[in-house]
Amino acid sequence: MGERLPIAFQCMTKVGDRIRGKMLEPTAIEVPIAGSVSNAVVPAPAVHNPRARKLRSAVWQDFTKERRADGNCVAVCNHCKKQLTATSRSGTTHLRNHLAICTTTSTRRAGKRRKLVVRRIQHNKSSTDGRSGEGHASGEDNDNEGTQFDQELSHRDLVHMIVQHGYPFSIVDDVGFQKFVKNLQPQFRMVSYDTVRADSMEIYEGEKLKLQDVLFKIPNRVSISVDMWQSNTQMEYMCLTCHYIDHANDEWKVRKKILNFVHMEAPFTVDQIANLIVEKLHSWGIDRKVAAVVLDNYSGGEIVARELLRVLQPRRLLLNGDLFQVRSCGHILNLTVQESWEQASDITDRVRKMINHVKFERFQKFQDISKLLHMDQKLLVLDSPDNWPSTYLMFESACYYHDVLARMAEQEGHYDVFLAAADWADVKALTEILDVVYHAMEKFPVENPTANLYFNEMCEIHVLLRTWRNSPSPAVAKVAGQMLSKFEGYWDLTRRVMAFASILDPRYKMKSLEYFFRLIYADDQFTAKTMIDVIQNTFHNLYNDYKHQSSDSWKNPSVLYYSRNSSPCMGSMYSNGDDSKTFSRITLSDARRGLDQYIQETSSGQSMKSDLEMYLEEAVYRQKERNQDHFDILGWWKSFAAKYPVLSQMARDILAIPVSIIPLDREARTLNEYLSSMDPATVQGLVCAQDWLREDPEVAGSGVQANDGAPRGDELIVVPK
């Protein structure tokens, strides 16, 4: 006999764990043979279990079913090692979809991309091998020769399409749609309304499990926003949205996911709202991860925030809850104007009366003078009361046609609807105020909103309001003074969070804070210095909290080697009191980042400077002039996470706080007729599933989010009316 063969067992998932009372099949144990380039595979000792369920689907030839440490099962792709949901309720269609786009399959390695080619079945014809042509596809793509129609896959794709795009379930009963599908694929058996409805809820449950898994794994904090919606039958709904920065797969991305869309039985109290929010956060496993909450679209938001703060326990929150409630910039500006414009009600009424007279009684005269003065045609706007953006557009159009309206006033002096010369100065000054706010709010809709984006703009508005308050015009001074009072009241709640986000912007660090505060409080530099020092000291306190929390984090593999697709650890991770071993994969870049983190943590005593001190002492990051509006702050922090380990953790939490979401008015937060006709459970399933499917490459097929103009996240996605 030859040399004795040493046996090295790889860590495999324990095969004895039960799932819903059933046993998994025994797994194999690889036995490397010394001096050989191949591995012999020896089956693990099988334990007879008459109740064990066999994995019958052919898809399991490309996947391995494993149980994770938390008890949930996953399907691991044998090609790219990606982990997908593998519960008894998740089915196998999502596994088939993954195989179709897996980037490391043998087809991709050969440089050929598999395409889903729709082919008409050729009936009553023979193939080249003499067999009947029925059931065989025709087409030009040789890569798909032998591809056979899959009723189950097509059925699943149809339901995904209906949910993802918000089509009504009744589309399957539409004669035109049925004809289109039959001509496209005669073998497809159209499903019923009830089947689509049931399958849609199954998709919701499956996607919910996937999102729960993501939220369970992320080591950083999340922020939430709460919006109250209603149906056209006056049923009330609460929409709970989660905002976080996902840095799985080494990609830092802002994510916004609707967690719940819950029916609220009227009448309900703020205590009920707060308790329901806490209940939902707990069910998602993120009640201990909350960084901040935005309650702008609920009238009792202040009271709800206080109750949430009490229930969630301040010691679990950032700075003991001092950063917990924030307002979005858009909401601050909207309330500032909305609650102050009544001070200009007199002149607004006179402008409205003038425009109304010109549009509906003297419009031909208006057009004649416009042509005579060679004015470019522009809409003459009549505003809607209680809608300040439309009031701004009315003022703007009036100022544009000032010369025309002034000439009409001269020629038709017997009408008392036209403004006097002295009034026009006030109208132009008030238009300037509204113009600044209006165009600031136009900047808020961005693809990846982070909390650092609008600190400078908000400070600039603060400076202008203090300047306008001293206007020689009584009307302008009155409006600006009221706006300043409202602005400072609302801004005070959010200023600290946005200042922190600005400090975490490497282009500005402390510079924006120092510049604008000295400008805002130009008449009181002591106040300016005090406020700068308070924010800087508070930022240091927050940094120290993070530093304390992360002092042992390098010992926690789930923080260092976090990955959505694998259990986060180096090599093998052993459970206490259990002889089972869970094998975990990491990449070389994961290992290198872990080394950088370890060096930073274990060398802290060798350096007198923290990463915060180094960050603030180094020069600000200078971009090329033409790229100022396209700075990727998350990409920057991703690149410098190893250099600033504690600050990068802060950046992930602070920059995800949704201070730049768009406020929606009550009318915009009303469900359309289709969703209003559904029962509350179905409404929640459709709203959430549609939101979750938007960024799912397994469904989209390309990994690129469609730019269809539909709203995202807390701007509820609804089907077309």
Side-chain angles (χ1 to χ4, degrees):
M1 302 294 290
E3 297 180 358
R4 297 182 60 184
L5 303 179
I7 300 178
F9 292 99
Q10 298 291 330
C11 300
M12 306 295 290
T13 303
K14 185 180 177 182
V15 300
D17 293 335
R18 291 180 177 274
I19 299 180
R20 298 184 179 276
K22 297 185 178 182
M23 299 289 291
L24 295 177
E25 289 186 316
T27 56
I29 301 177
E30 294 185 1
V31 185
I33 302 177
S36 175
V37 296
S38 63
N39 290 336
V41 180
V42 181
V47 179
H48 177 67
N49 178 15
R51 300 178 62 190
R53 184 174 63 179
K54 186 176 181 180
L55 302 177
R56 299 179 182 275
S57 175
V59 78
W60 292 108
Q61 296 176 6
D62 295 280
F63 287 89
T64 301
K65 194 169 186 178
E66 296 182 357
R67 175 186 277 260
R68 297 185 319 196
D70 60 4
N72 292 325
C73 287
V74 293
V76 182
C77 177
N78 296 338
H79 305 289
C80 68
K81 306 305 179 184
K82 181 171 183 178
Q83 294 185 6
L84 302 173
T85 307
T87 64
S88 59
R89 293 183 295 175
S90 59
T92 60
T93 301
H94 66 296
L95 304 181
R96 296 175 184 272
N97 292 345
H98 171 76
L99 288 178
I101 63 171
C102 180
T103 57
T104 57
T105 59
S106 58
T107 302
R108 289 285 181 88
R109 286 198 300 268
K112 297 181 180 179
R113 181 178 178 179
R114 292 184 60 85
K115 301 177 182 178
L116 298 178
V117 179
V118 180
R119 299 172 175 139
R120 186 183 296 273
I121 303 301
Q122 303 297 312
H123 295 280
N124 302 321
K125 291 185 178 181
S126 299
S127 61
T128 56
D129 59 0
R131 294 179 299 177
S132 172
E134 185 172 350
H136 292 269
S138 66
E140 298 178 357
D141 191 347
N142 295 330
D143 285 348
N144 283 285
E145 289 183 359
T147 300
Q148 296 191 5
F149 169 69
D150 189 326
Q151 170 69 25
E152 179 185 354
L153 179 60
S154 298
H155 173 185
R156 191 76 172 178
D157 288 344
L158 172 63
V159 179
H160 271 94
M161 178 195 74
I162 291 174
V163 174
Q164 187 176 6
H165 298 287
Y167 299 135
F169 297 148
S170 59
I171 191 175
V172 296
D173 297 325
D174 183 80
V175 176
F177 181 72
Q178 290 181 348
K179 182 178 180 181
F180 169 75
V181 174
K182 183 176 180 60
N183 289 334
L184 199 65
Q185 176 50 268
Q187 284 189 318
F188 180 72
R189 300 185 301 277
M190 184 59 68
V191 295
S192 67
Y193 178 101
D194 292 335
T195 299
V196 172
R197 185 175 188 145
D199 289 350
S200 297
M201 295 303 101
E202 181 182 338
I203 289 175
Y204 162 70
E205 294 294 341
E207 294 298 318
K208 182 178 180 180
L209 291 175
K210 291 164 64 175
L211 182 56
Q212 280 180 323
D213 187 55
V214 170
L215 296 178
F216 173 79
K217 285 182 176 180
I218 58 174
N220 47 291
R221 290 180 178 267
V222 302
S223 293
I224 61 171
S225 59
V226 180
D227 302 279
M228 299 305 297
W229 286 70
Q230 67 177 7
S231 67
N232 58 15
T233 57
Q234 305 306 309
M235 292 179 65
E236 297 282 346
Y237 289 86
M238 183 192 75
C239 181
L240 183 67
T241 307
C242 179
H243 308 256
Y244 62 97
I245 290 177
D246 181 5
H247 62 291
N249 299 326
D250 205 25
E251 293 185 31
W252 287 40
K253 298 291 183 182
V254 177
R255 303 294 186 195
K256 182 166 60 174
K257 301 288 187 181
I258 296 177
L259 300 182
N260 296 94
F261 196 80
V262 190
H263 171 54
M264 300 291 298
E265 290 285 354
F268 49 85
T269 65
V270 292
D271 290 344
Q272 289 174 316
I273 289 284
N275 291 333
L276 182 60
I277 292 173
V278 173
E279 174 191 332
K280 297 305 178 184
L281 294 178
H282 179 73
S283 68
W284 285 96
I286 58 175
D287 52 315
R288 294 173 179 265
K289 292 183 176 182
V290 178
V293 60
V294 177
L295 294 149
D296 290 346
N297 287 331
Y298 179 60
S299 57
E302 296 278 353
I303 305 174
V304 171
R306 287 198 294 268
E307 181 64 17
L308 284 173
L309 191 60
R310 183 188 67 81
V311 176
L312 291 176
Q313 301 180 19
R315 68 176 182 275
R316 299 177 182 171
L317 302 172
L318 300 178
L319 293 177
N320 294 322
D322 287 349
L323 304 180
F324 182 62
Q325 185 188 5
V326 298
R327 293 187 183 275
S328 68
C329 297
H331 192 63
I332 292 172
L333 297 180
N334 189 53
L335 289 180
T336 296
V337 178
Q338 186 175 303
E339 297 178 1
S340 306
W341 201 250
E342 61 183 14
Q343 303 295 327
S345 59
D346 179 59
I347 195 166
T348 302
D349 289 341
R350 282 186 282 156
V351 173
R352 186 180 297 124
K353 184 178 179 180
M354 176 180 65
I355 299 298
N356 186 73
H357 171 77
V358 171
K359 283 180 69 73
F360 298 105
E361 296 186 29
R362 308 295 295 162
F363 192 65
Q364 186 59 51
K365 178 78 171 180
F366 170 81
Q367 287 185 315
D368 293 341
I369 297 178
S370 297
K371 291 179 181 178
L372 183 64
L373 297 178
H374 305 290
M375 300 289 295
D376 293 333
Q377 292 300 308
K378 184 175 180 179
L379 184 65
L380 187 63
V381 179
L382 182 64
D383 74 335
S384 300
D386 302 323
N387 185 335
W388 73 262
S390 69
T391 300
Y392 159 70
L393 296 175
M394 180 179 71
F395 273 49
E396 182 190 41
S397 67
C399 291
Y400 177 79
Y401 286 114
H402 167 263
D403 293 343
V404 178
L405 295 172
R407 181 167 295 194
M408 290 184 70
E410 292 175 0
Q411 297 178 3
E412 303 184 357
H414 53 284
Y415 292 111
D416 61 352
V417 296
F418 293 99
L419 297 178
D423 294 329
W424 278 107
D426 289 342
V427 170
K428 291 180 179 179
L430 292 172
T431 303
E432 181 183 351
I433 295 176
L434 292 180
D435 180 80
V436 170
V437 180
Y438 183 87
H439 286 98
M441 293 190 67
E442 279 189 325
K443 298 179 181 179
F444 294 147
V446 294
E447 183 177 355
N448 294 309
T450 48
N452 64 300
L453 291 177
Y454 304 114
F455 178 77
N456 293 348
E457 282 77 2
M458 296 296 281
C459 287
E460 289 168 1
I461 291 174
H462 198 175
V463 172
L464 290 174
L465 287 175
R466 293 178 72 91
T467 302
W468 289 326
R469 181 185 56 175
N470 300 320
S471 171
S473 167
V476 174
K478 190 176 182 180
V479 171
Q482 180 71 5
M483 288 180 64
L484 178 63
S485 176
K486 294 292 183 180
F487 178 87
E488 289 182 337
Y490 294 128
W491 175 233
D492 185 62
L493 191 65
T494 307
R495 176 177 52 206
R496 191 178 304 179
V497 165
M498 294 194 66
F500 288 176
S502 182
I503 295 173
L504 289 167
D505 189 328
R507 297 172 298 171
Y508 305 115
K509 301 185 180 181
M510 289 292 299
K511 303 301 182 182
S512 287
L513 188 70
E514 295 167 351
Y515 172 77
F516 281 113
F517 277 35
R518 289 168 183 165
L519 198 60
I520 293 169
Y521 304 102
D523 55 347
D524 188 356
Q525 288 300 303
F526 176 78
T527 299
K529 184 178 184 308
T530 300
M531 295 191 69
I532 294 170
D533 290 343
V534 167
I535 289 180
Q536 187 171 20
N537 292 336
T538 308
F539 187 80
H540 276 80
N541 291 337
L542 180 63
Y543 170 83
N544 290 332
D545 288 346
Y546 272 86
K547 186 176 181 180
H548 175 73
Q549 294 169 9
S550 63
S551 60
D552 296 325
S553 64
W554 66 272
K555 303 174 186 177
N556 183 358
S558 66
V559 175
L560 292 185
Y561 307 118
Y562 161 67
S563 173
R564 175 185 295 174
N565 300 327
S566 63
S567 299
C569 68
M570 171 72 78
S572 301
M573 182 173 62
Y574 295 84
S575 302
N576 292 331
D578 195 344
D579 58 356
S580 65
K581 303 173 184 178
T582 301
F583 181 72
S584 303
R585 297 178 301 100
I586 62 168
T587 64
L588 291 178
S589 59
D590 290 330
R592 175 54 57 86
R593 284 197 302 274
L595 174 60
D596 293 339
Q597 180 87 357
Y598 177 78
I599 293 173
Q600 178 68 29
E601 295 287 350
T602 56
S603 303
S604 57
Q606 301 173 5
S607 174
M608 299 301 294
K609 292 184 179 180
S610 65
D611 59 344
L612 173 58
E613 292 172 320
M614 290 189 296
Y615 173 77
L616 293 179
E617 288 178 3
E618 292 176 354
V620 296
Y621 174 73
R622 301 298 297 272
Q623 274 187 289
K624 293 182 179 179
E625 191 66 29
R626 64 175 182 269
N627 295 327
Q628 285 297 322
D629 294 332
H630 303 284
F631 176 61
D632 181 8
I633 188 170
L634 297 184
W636 191 93
W637 277 107
K638 168 190 168 183
S639 300
F640 288 90
K643 183 176 182 179
Y644 308 115
V646 179
L647 279 177
S648 66
Q649 294 179 44
M650 293 175 61
R652 285 199 301 268
D653 295 347
I654 298 297
L655 295 177
I657 297 177
V659 296
S660 56
I661 59 176
I662 307 170
L664 303 176
D665 58 30
R666 188 66 174 174
E667 183 179 355
R669 289 180 282 121
T670 301
L671 297 177
N672 61 24
E673 184 176 354
Y674 172 68
L675 285 178
S676 296
S677 66
M678 298 288 183
D679 64 275
T682 304
V683 171
Q684 173 168 254
L686 290 177
V687 169
C688 293
Q690 187 181 24
D691 180 62
W692 299 339
L693 289 177
R694 284 191 174 274
E695 295 182 349
D696 187 354
E698 302 298 334
V699 176
S702 63
V704 179
Q705 189 171 344
N707 183 19
D708 55 7
R712 304 288 190 266
D714 45 39
E715 303 171 60
L716 186 65
I717 304 165
V718 296
V719 296
K721 291 186 178 180

